[in-house]
Amino acid sequence: MSWITFIWSMTSGICLTLGAVHFVVWTRRRDEWANLVFSITAAAAAGYAVLDLLALRAQTPAEYGEWMRWMLLLGMVEGVLIACFIRLYLRAGRLWLFWLICGLRVLMLVLNFVAGPNFYFREITAVHPMPLLGELISHPHGVLHPWAMLMQLSLLLIIVFAIDAARTAAKRSEGPRAWVLGGLVAVGFSLALVSYALYALEILPSTFSSQLFLSLIVVMGYELSLDVLRAGQLSRDLIESQQRMRLAASSADLSIWEWDIVRDEIWTTEKGRERAGLGAYERIDFARYLQSVHPEDREPTQRAVRQALEGRGEFEAEYRVVGREGATRWVVARGHVERNTQGKPLRLRGVSVDVTERKRAEESARNAQELMAAVFNSVPGLLYLYTEDGRLIQWNRQHEVMTGYTAEELLGFRIQGWFDEENWAQASKVLAKIFSEGYAQTEITLKRKNGEELPLFATGSRVMIDGKPHMVGIATDISLRKQADAELRRLQGEVAHVSRVSTMGQLSTALAHELNQPLGAILSNAEAAEMLLEADPPALGQVREILADIRKDDERAGEVIRRMRALLRKRELEIQSLDLGELIHNVLGLVSGDAALRKVTVRAEVDSRPLPIRGDRVHLQQVLLNLLVNALDAVAGNPSEERRVSVQAARNRAGEIEVSVIDNGPGIPPAQLARLFEPFFTTKPDGMGMGISIARTIVQAHNGRIWAE
């Protein structure tokens, strides 16, 4: 076999092989029209190579002209197919230029069959042998058609079309592949343009068009093969991606689904079928899937689907599906509608996720919130949450009931608005303590909307919300307690008054003696004054002295009566500044007469410096009087010369004023010491057991302490 036969046969075989491969590819992927065009182009190139070989073996001018006519036919078709391939593959190229190439090639095709042996030659006069690759081939001699220049023009147009398409495709980020294909096609047709000129000048023994077409077919096939390889890789990647996606979907408890709207067929993953109680191989249409949706959720789900199909194409729905055994699961589905070029919906693709546990958690949280709200609003007091700058942001219903403000009025209410000036000074100190130390409590008075006062026991704790300090707390109405305290104080005052009357009854003999002395002296002085006035002349100087004595005795009696009236009068606590030393001496004056009758020595050891205190004079006198009377009773069993009671008052090391009433009686048995301050506990046959208890109440009301040793 000669080299020429081998090369041209191989050219045809390679073209047919490449065309057949990509024709098979097209049969698998019918939307890849570039593969079909390439297959036809490759078949035409194979036929062109066969006809070219026959023309090279032609023996007569007529035979050469006939083979060349059919060869030119395939060449013209080849040019149109290559331009079509470029437009399909690169999705670029000016359409008017493409149709110009097609029109010019059709014109050349017509001219190829209407005059002369073919489009190129008007007349072939002879066929001369020329050497090529060691053998002789046929080379025509004749007269060219004037329109043969259309061949060069069409080749030039294809070159321009290829370069323009490559440039346009390169702008779409397809630079390398676009320039490779467009550039090589332009180079191939440029070589064809040159070879036709050299062939016409009889410089080349052949146009070598078959080999040029083969090179273009190889370039185009290579590009398509890369696409096939890329498609294969994409397919493998897609399979791996699907596997990963299924694994991820399974891990995330997702089900993937797709509804082919045209065929009304739903595909879903195994998990989706399982949730809806659908068989593994059961055909699912939209109506069948709706049967698995809870009856109460079917209409809302259908409405969401309609809105997606008729609207922007975004689908989202939350509904319940009922499994085979009646188990109900909550599902959230999201998807997107795909449409054709006319906007008609084709598919609805999406995913579904099981949110049953989330729903249960939300239900539990909602129940907990409702329970907390019920508890919050059932508290018989004010519950509140304030910001650090004093804005009320959360409260219970009792706020509205107890304060008279509406919910709209309470929102953002400033804490300072609850108090008058005096109570705000106290509240601001408590707030500062809460935000600095974390907790505080106080008794304070709040103003209602109508201006009435509401006494409260309020607590507050610091909490951090969103990284900012807040104050949460509760305040309870202590109006009843205040009333009860006032009533208790009234009753205690009554009891204290009774105790004072009882004590004064015990001192009545001594008080009568105290009054008899000044009254007797007054009587004696009055009688003496009468006698002096009857003298002639009257002794007026002595009378003046007697009247002065009468005035002193009267003041002495009046002081005794004044002290008795002060102790016997009913009264509330009147806190005032006092000198405790003076108070002690006044009480000792009241018991001095009784002590003298009982032959008890009473001694006072009071600090010479002032002992200033704040308290109620009468109530503190009652405490001292009670303790002194008890001390006088305690020493009654001692011999008269050994009856001693002392009162001591001085500051201790802590700076407090400490008063002690001390006697040398039998003392207090340890068993009785623990019960000494209990109400109604007494060791006296005729005692009420209230004196010491009242004394403790009075001392505690003065923020003091009292004890026995």
Side-chain angles (χ1 to χ4, degrees):
M1 179 183 296
S2 67
W3 281 107
I4 293 176
T5 303
F6 175 76
I7 292 172
W8 265 252
S9 299
M10 286 296 295
T11 299
S12 177
I14 293 172
C15 290
L16 285 174
T17 302
L18 291 174
V21 169
H22 286 281
F23 181 77
V24 173
V25 172
W26 176 78
T27 58
R28 301 289 181 89
R29 300 162 61 186
R30 293 298 181 90
D31 56 341
E32 298 292 340
W33 292 103
N35 290 84
L36 177 62
V37 171
F38 174 79
S39 300
I40 299 172
T41 305
Y48 188 96
V50 171
L51 293 173
D52 192 17
L53 178 61
L54 293 174
L56 293 177
R57 301 292 189 201
Q59 299 299 315
T60 65
E63 184 182 2
Y64 191 96
E66 187 66 20
W67 291 126
M68 191 174 183
R69 172 181 290 175
W70 292 106
M71 184 174 65
L72 288 172
L73 168 66
L74 292 179
M76 295 170 190
V77 173
E78 193 89 1
V80 172
L81 289 174
I82 291 174
C84 183
F85 175 83
I86 291 173
R87 180 163 179 82
L88 290 173
Y89 186 73
L90 296 182
R91 302 186 305 280
R94 299 179 189 276
L95 193 59
W96 66 268
L97 187 56
F98 171 75
W99 288 117
L100 180 60
I101 293 170
C102 292
L104 188 58
R105 288 273 168 160
V106 169
L107 176 62
M108 292 164 56
L109 185 63
V110 172
L111 293 175
N112 190 46
F113 286 93
V114 297
N118 53 60
F119 168 80
Y120 209 67
F121 286 97
R122 177 188 296 175
E123 179 183 6
I124 300 176
T125 57
V127 176
H128 298 292
M130 289 186 69
L132 180 66
L133 298 177
E135 64 176 302
L136 296 175
I137 61 171
S138 297
H139 184 77
H141 288 271
V143 181
L144 297 177
H145 275 301
W147 54 67
M149 293 298 294
L150 293 176
M151 175 67 73
Q152 280 71 19
L153 178 61
S154 68
L155 293 177
L156 185 61
L157 290 176
I158 293 174
I159 293 170
V160 173
F161 180 80
I163 294 174
D164 178 67
R167 183 179 62 84
T168 302
K171 292 181 179 180
R172 298 196 309 260
S173 302
E174 300 178 14
R177 56 180 286 198
W179 283 118
V180 167
L181 178 62
L184 289 177
V185 168
V187 170
F189 277 95
S190 296
L191 292 175
L193 187 63
V194 173
S195 68
Y196 270 106
L198 295 177
Y199 176 73
L201 296 173
E202 298 186 5
I203 297 173
L204 287 179
S206 172
T207 61
F208 296 100
S209 299
S210 300
Q211 287 67 41
L212 291 175
F213 279 132
L214 173 62
S215 64
L216 293 177
I217 293 299
V218 170
V219 170
M220 293 160 59
Y222 175 75
E223 282 295 320
L224 284 178
S225 299
L226 288 180
D227 278 354
V228 172
L229 293 175
R230 282 193 289 265
Q233 184 62 41
L234 286 174
S235 178
R236 289 190 294 273
D237 292 344
L238 179 61
I239 293 172
E240 292 180 4
S241 177
Q242 288 176 341
Q243 291 174 345
R244 294 192 192 101
M245 186 171 62
R246 287 176 180 172
L247 179 60
S250 177
S251 302
D253 205 23
L254 295 173
S255 63
I256 305 169
W257 48 267
E258 177 184 318
W259 177 30
D260 188 328
I261 300 171
V262 177
R263 294 189 297 171
D264 190 18
E265 186 173 349
I266 296 176
W267 169 89
T268 183
T269 56
E270 182 180 350
K271 189 175 288 291
R273 288 178 174 269
E274 181 181 342
R275 281 182 189 146
L278 302 168
Y281 302 102
E282 180 181 356
R283 185 184 183 277
I284 312 171
D285 56 19
F286 186 68
R288 173 65 185 90
Y289 186 79
L290 272 181
Q291 292 178 5
S292 66
V293 177
H294 193 281
E296 296 178 2
D297 299 334
R298 287 174 187 168
E299 197 281 328
T301 304
Q302 285 180 294
R303 185 168 60 250
V305 171
R306 283 197 305 272
Q307 290 173 350
L309 297 179
E310 297 170 2
R312 297 177 60 184
E314 299 300 326
F315 167 71
E316 183 172 353
E318 185 175 291
Y319 53 89
R320 288 164 289 180
V321 292
V322 183
R324 292 180 182 176
E325 299 179 357
T328 301
R329 310 289 296 179
W330 277 97
V331 170
V332 171
R334 292 185 177 88
H336 180 75
V337 177
E338 295 180 5
R339 305 178 187 275
N340 60 14
T341 55
Q342 289 78 34
K344 182 179 179 181
L346 299 177
R347 294 179 185 83
L348 177 59
R349 288 194 177 102
V351 296
S352 299
V353 59
D354 189 335
V355 294
T356 305
E357 296 304 320
R358 190 199 76 188
K359 279 288 188 179
R360 289 173 181 168
E362 289 176 352
E363 183 69 20
S364 299
R366 187 163 52 251
N367 293 337
Q369 288 177 349
E370 291 176 357
L371 177 61
M372 286 299 296
V375 172
F376 196 72
N377 289 315
S378 65
V379 172
L382 307 181
L383 281 177
Y384 40 80
L385 178 65
Y386 284 91
T387 60
E388 189 176 15
D389 60 357
R391 287 185 301 105
L392 180 64
I393 58 176
Q394 192 170 355
W395 60 91
N396 63 341
R397 288 200 193 101
Q398 284 297 103
H399 251 85
E400 302 166 29
V401 175
M402 293 173 63
T403 67
Y405 287 94
T406 63
E408 291 76 13
E409 293 171 327
L410 287 173
L411 183 61
F413 194 92
R414 291 285 178 176
I415 193 170
Q416 189 172 356
W418 296 119
F419 308 107
D420 56 23
E421 185 175 347
E422 180 182 352
N423 283 286
W424 172 241
Q426 177 187 349
S428 58
K429 293 178 182 178
V430 174
L431 284 172
K433 184 177 180 181
I434 290 170
F435 284 106
S436 61
E437 301 180 12
Y439 177 79
Q441 62 184 36
T442 187
E443 287 187 11
I444 200 164
T445 301
L446 169 149
K447 289 190 303 182
R448 290 188 174 99
K449 184 179 180 180
N450 59 10
E452 295 179 356
E453 293 186 343
L454 177 64
L456 298 171
F457 175 75
T459 65
S461 297
R462 183 186 62 219
V463 295
M464 300 300 292
I465 301 176
D466 296 332
K468 298 179 180 178
H470 291 67
M471 187 266 287
V472 63
I474 182 171
T476 54
D477 184 355
I478 56 174
S479 300
L480 295 178
R481 198 196 81 186
K482 288 285 187 180
Q483 294 173 6
D485 288 346
E487 180 65 16
L488 179 60
R489 284 194 302 272
R490 188 187 68 79
L491 293 175
Q492 287 175 341
E494 293 284 348
V495 174
H497 179 254
V498 171
S499 177
R500 290 197 296 275
V501 172
S502 175
T503 303
M504 293 306 295
Q506 296 179 45
L507 297 175
S508 59
T509 303
L511 291 172
H513 178 71
E514 285 284 321
L515 287 173
N516 282 333
Q517 283 184 342
L519 291 176
I522 290 171
L523 179 60
S524 299
N525 284 327
E527 291 174 348
E530 287 180 352
M531 291 174 62
L532 291 172
L533 288 173
E534 290 176 355
D536 188 19
L540 296 179
Q542 293 181 358
V543 170
R544 288 189 185 95
E545 293 177 359
I546 289 172
L547 289 176
D549 290 339
I550 290 173
R551 185 183 296 109
K552 290 179 181 178
D553 289 333
D554 179 71
E555 290 176 353
R556 179 182 172 189
E559 180 65 19
V560 172
I561 293 171
R562 186 185 62 76
R563 292 174 184 173
M564 289 176 60
R565 289 182 63 189
L567 283 170
L568 293 173
R569 183 162 52 93
K570 290 184 180 180
R571 59 201 302 282
E572 296 292 331
L573 279 174
E574 294 180 4
I575 304 299
Q576 56 185 308
S577 297
L578 303 171
D579 182 3
L580 189 56
E582 178 189 351
L583 187 143
I584 292 172
H585 287 299
N586 288 338
V587 175
L588 289 177
L590 282 173
V591 300
S592 59
D594 191 38
L597 291 175
R598 298 191 189 198
K599 299 180 180 180
V600 178
T601 302
V602 179
R603 186 175 71 254
E605 299 177 10
V606 180
D607 196 329
S608 59
R609 293 171 298 177
L611 299 174
I613 62 170
R614 286 187 58 79
D616 183 275
R617 179 185 298 276
V618 173
H619 284 82
L620 292 177
Q621 285 179 340
Q622 181 177 354
V623 172
L624 285 171
L625 186 61
N626 224 316
L627 298 179
L628 284 168
V629 170
N630 283 337
L632 294 177
D633 291 340
V635 299
N638 293 358
S640 58
E641 67 276 6
E642 296 182 5
R643 298 171 187 171
R644 293 186 298 274
V645 174
S646 67
V647 179
Q648 300 175 358
R651 292 186 182 274
N652 59 18
R653 292 182 179 179
E656 300 169 326
I657 298 176
E658 188 175 285
V659 180
S660 302
V661 178
I662 304 169
D663 65 73
N664 64 339
I668 305 171
Q672 296 178 0
L673 192 62
R675 301 185 59 197
L676 188 63
F677 293 97
E678 293 181 5
F680 307 111
F681 174 76
T682 181
T683 58
K684 301 177 183 179
D686 55 349
M688 291 191 303
M690 291 299 296
I692 298 297
S693 176
I694 292 172
R696 181 183 64 173
T697 301
I698 293 173
V699 170
Q700 289 178 345
H702 286 73
N703 295 320
R705 295 176 293 124
I706 184 171
W707 68 96
E709 296 175 355

